[in-house]
Amino acid sequence: MIKVAKFGGTSMADASAITRSANIIKAEESRRYVVVSAPGKRFSQDTKVTDMLYACCHELELDGTCEDTFAKIRERFIGICADLGLSLDITPYLDKVKEGIYKYRSTSYCASRGEYLSGVIMAAALGYEFVDAADVVVFTCDGEFDAASTRSALQAKLADTPRAVIPGFYGADEHGTVHTFSRGGSDITGALIAEAVKADMYENWTDVNGFLSADPRVVDNPKLISKLSYKELRELAYMGANVLHHESIFPVRSSGIPINIRNTFAPEESGTLIVPEVKDSEVTDTVTGIAGKTGYSIIYIEKSMMNNEYGFVRKILSVLEQYNISFEHMPSGIDTLSIVVSDSSIAGRESVLLDRITKAVAPDHIKIKSGICLIATVGHGMKSNLGTAAKLCGALSGAGVNLRMIDQGSSELNIIVAVDSRDYGKAINAIYKAFKC
Ligand code: ASP
């Protein structure tokens, strides 16, 4: 039995959290490969080491020095080692990191050093081998992740390494230049390792009991989801349920490895199990979870007889393509089309877009409505329960929320609605109450 155990920032925040994490690893022989994040926040006003590192890079660019911020990082790591009572002398590692920050002046190099130092410390605390992610997680020179080369490098290295600690979040190209995944990317590293070593389980240790059926900042005390499928997770994670990085699902999903989200601070809880498939007989609720995101706009296009015009939608989409804008949803009527896009993708380009689309298809009306949020209601139980959409719409109208768009995925796994951002909390609570999820 092989388990890959990834520990997030809070699980690495200080010596007491690291000791907890190390005890969890030692409690099971099978926890052979450990992936760590950089030390996160110890209390709510604290700063994550990764954010301090990004700040270093920024200061270096602006002022040519980052001495004060780096001194704080140094103090943090020296404190952790002293509190852990390690014989490891972290000072030469810190000196080398500082030298690299000044030498490379690269944001990715700088940001990745929190995971690197965390990994060195955890390896020393466990007596496991330290494997630098720069040697086994491969990126191309232009910063694209290279999955096939990573798989071979990991398999070659870990085949003769029975137990190892590998830092998350980064890798390197053939010249040794460091590249990072997007924020929260240590989850991806853990999944890549689980896939490469054909692990029986990918454990993701964090600071919550598992995946909740709604955001606890919006819904009071939402239920914990004990089991969900990769597909459900993907829908919820994409829409902002952020226990796991949404890209971390792909490597383990293709090889059917289950993910177990666990709480470092309550290891007695069994957490949330994410499995390739949930059997119909196991589905008890219509809705597994609800998630939502603000920051969207809808481009409304109206043209009479639009449905008879060949290539109408293609012409609009090629305008979006030219501007590198990908759309989230595109429900249409006979004479109308709504295209949901993120605010950030169209920011500052609204009028040129309207202009270009107008030139391309000569609509009768076209406008952009911003201030929209999307809410996904997800669950395998939907396809066997009639009236889910009716119940959802009823809940929204009962709460006085105006529905701007509704879109049901073809697999009947989710219903996405768009409502005004100011109704975000009201809408999620109304749906949650209706489905008692
Ligand atoms: N430390 C990085 C971040 O804060 C990556 C991670 O923790 O997964 O985003």
Side-chain angles (χ1 to χ4, degrees):
M1 169 92 141
I2 303 180
K3 285 187 179 177
V4 170
K6 181 256 165 179
F7 289 83
T10 0
S11 308
M12 296 300 294
D14 57 19
S16 110
I18 296 175
T19 305
R20 277 180 168 279
S21 305
N23 287 341
I24 290 167
I25 299 160
K26 286 188 251 165
E28 268 192 40
E29 271 284 298
S30 56
R31 294 189 176 119
R32 288 175 39 190
Y33 300 107
V34 176
V35 175
V36 289
S37 279
K41 291 185 181 191
R42 294 159 291 184
F43 42 88
S44 62
Q45 301 308 318
D46 199 14
T47 312
K48 290 177 170 192
V49 164
T50 309
D51 288 322
M52 291 160 93
L53 285 161
Y54 277 119
C56 269
C57 198
H58 191 61
E59 286 162 23
L60 193 58
E61 207 180 298
L62 286 182
D63 316 327
T65 170
C66 59
E67 290 299 312
D68 293 350
T69 309
F70 194 80
K72 287 188 195 130
I73 296 171
R74 181 185 287 277
E75 196 186 316
R76 182 112 180 237
F77 280 106
I78 289 179
I80 289 176
C81 289
D83 293 345
L84 284 171
L86 293 181
S87 56
L88 167 81
D89 181 7
I90 196 77
T91 314
Y93 292 90
L94 286 161
D95 291 343
K96 197 137 183 263
V97 164
K98 187 175 163 193
E99 197 187 301
I101 292 175
Y102 277 87
K103 182 166 154 205
Y104 303 124
R105 298 192 172 235
S106 131
T107 311
S108 297
Y109 173 82
C110 203
S112 70
R113 293 304 90 185
E115 270 69 15
Y116 170 77
L117 293 165
S118 237
V120 169
I121 292 173
M122 185 58 114
L126 291 169
Y128 280 21
E129 185 173 329
F130 172 75
V131 172
D132 191 345
D135 300 329
V136 283
V137 176
V138 187
F139 282 79
T140 62
C141 293
D142 41 4
E144 289 297 315
F145 170 63
D146 180 345
S149 308
T150 299
R151 191 177 307 116
S152 345
L154 279 170
Q155 283 171 344
K157 173 69 194 161
L158 300 182
D160 340 309
T161 317
R163 293 178 183 276
V165 175
I166 303 119
F169 189 39
Y170 72 95
D173 62 30
E174 58 184 329
H175 304 296
T177 303
V178 167
H179 300 273
T180 57
F181 294 114
S182 55
R183 294 297 304 262
S186 300
D187 287 342
I188 306 176
T189 312
L192 294 170
I193 293 167
E195 185 210 14
V197 301
K198 300 190 172 49
D200 299 280
M201 178 74 78
Y202 170 31
E203 288 182 337
N204 195 291
W205 291 85
T206 175
D207 55 0
V208 291
N209 279 349
F211 219 91
L212 298 173
S213 54
D215 185 339
R217 290 165 301 186
V218 179
V219 170
D220 242 3
N221 214 2
K223 224 165 78 180
L224 182 83
I225 307 173
S226 56
K227 197 180 215 178
L228 76 163
S229 72
Y230 285 132
K231 279 190 185 153
E232 288 172 317
L233 171 74
R234 165 110 178 99
E235 298 289 342
L236 291 167
Y238 183 73
M239 284 304 281
N242 58 5
V243 180
L244 260 190
H245 191 297
H246 72 99
E247 284 174 46
S248 63
I249 304 161
F250 297 110
V252 280
R253 179 176 176 167
S254 58
S255 29
I257 300 166
I259 309 174
N260 193 187
I261 298 172
R262 302 283 297 266
N263 189 349
T264 304
F265 305 91
E268 65 288 354
E269 300 289 337
S270 51
T272 297
L273 191 62
I274 301 149
V275 292
E277 214 123 320
V278 176
K279 293 190 199 86
D280 282 349
S281 57
E282 288 175 331
V283 177
T284 46
D285 299 320
T286 309
V287 168
T288 306
I290 305 162
K293 263 205 246 179
T294 53
Y296 289 98
S297 295
I298 302 181
I299 309 175
Y300 284 110
I301 299 160
E302 204 180 307
K303 185 173 188 188
S304 106
M305 307 296 282
M306 162 195 121
N307 61 326
N308 282 342
E309 221 177 283
Y310 294 113
F312 186 84
V313 175
R314 182 188 49 74
K315 287 179 201 154
I316 296 171
L317 293 186
S318 40
V319 174
L320 297 188
E321 191 180 348
Q322 275 162 21
Y323 287 90
N324 282 330
I325 297 168
S326 67
F327 69 92
E328 301 286 329
H329 297 279
M330 191 174 52
S332 64
I334 319 172
D335 293 334
T336 58
L337 183 70
S338 306
I339 307 176
V340 182
V341 290
S342 70
D343 287 346
S344 57
S345 69
I346 59 165
R349 308 192 280 182
E350 293 87 341
S351 50
V352 64
L353 272 176
L354 292 179
D355 206 48
R356 293 297 308 274
I357 297 175
T358 304
K359 284 208 177 89
V361 294
D364 299 335
H365 291 293
I366 178 165
K367 66 172 182 189
I368 296 180
K369 166 88 183 81
S370 57
I372 296 292
C373 69
L374 292 178
I375 299 169
T377 304
V378 178
H380 285 296
M382 281 185 190
K383 65 173 188 288
S384 46
N385 281 298
L386 287 180
T388 310
K391 196 166 168 182
L392 195 147
C393 295
L396 292 178
S397 71
V401 174
N402 181 22
L403 187 58
R404 298 228 170 237
M405 182 213 79
I406 177 160
D407 195 359
Q408 175 171 354
S410 51
S411 56
E412 290 183 58
L413 174 69
N414 62 357
I415 296 175
I416 314 258
V417 293
V419 302
D420 290 345
S421 291
R422 60 163 189 274
D423 290 332
Y424 180 71
K426 223 196 302 180
I428 291 189
N429 274 292
I431 301 171
Y432 186 87
K433 220 161 117 205
F435 291 99
K436 300 182 184 58
C437 40

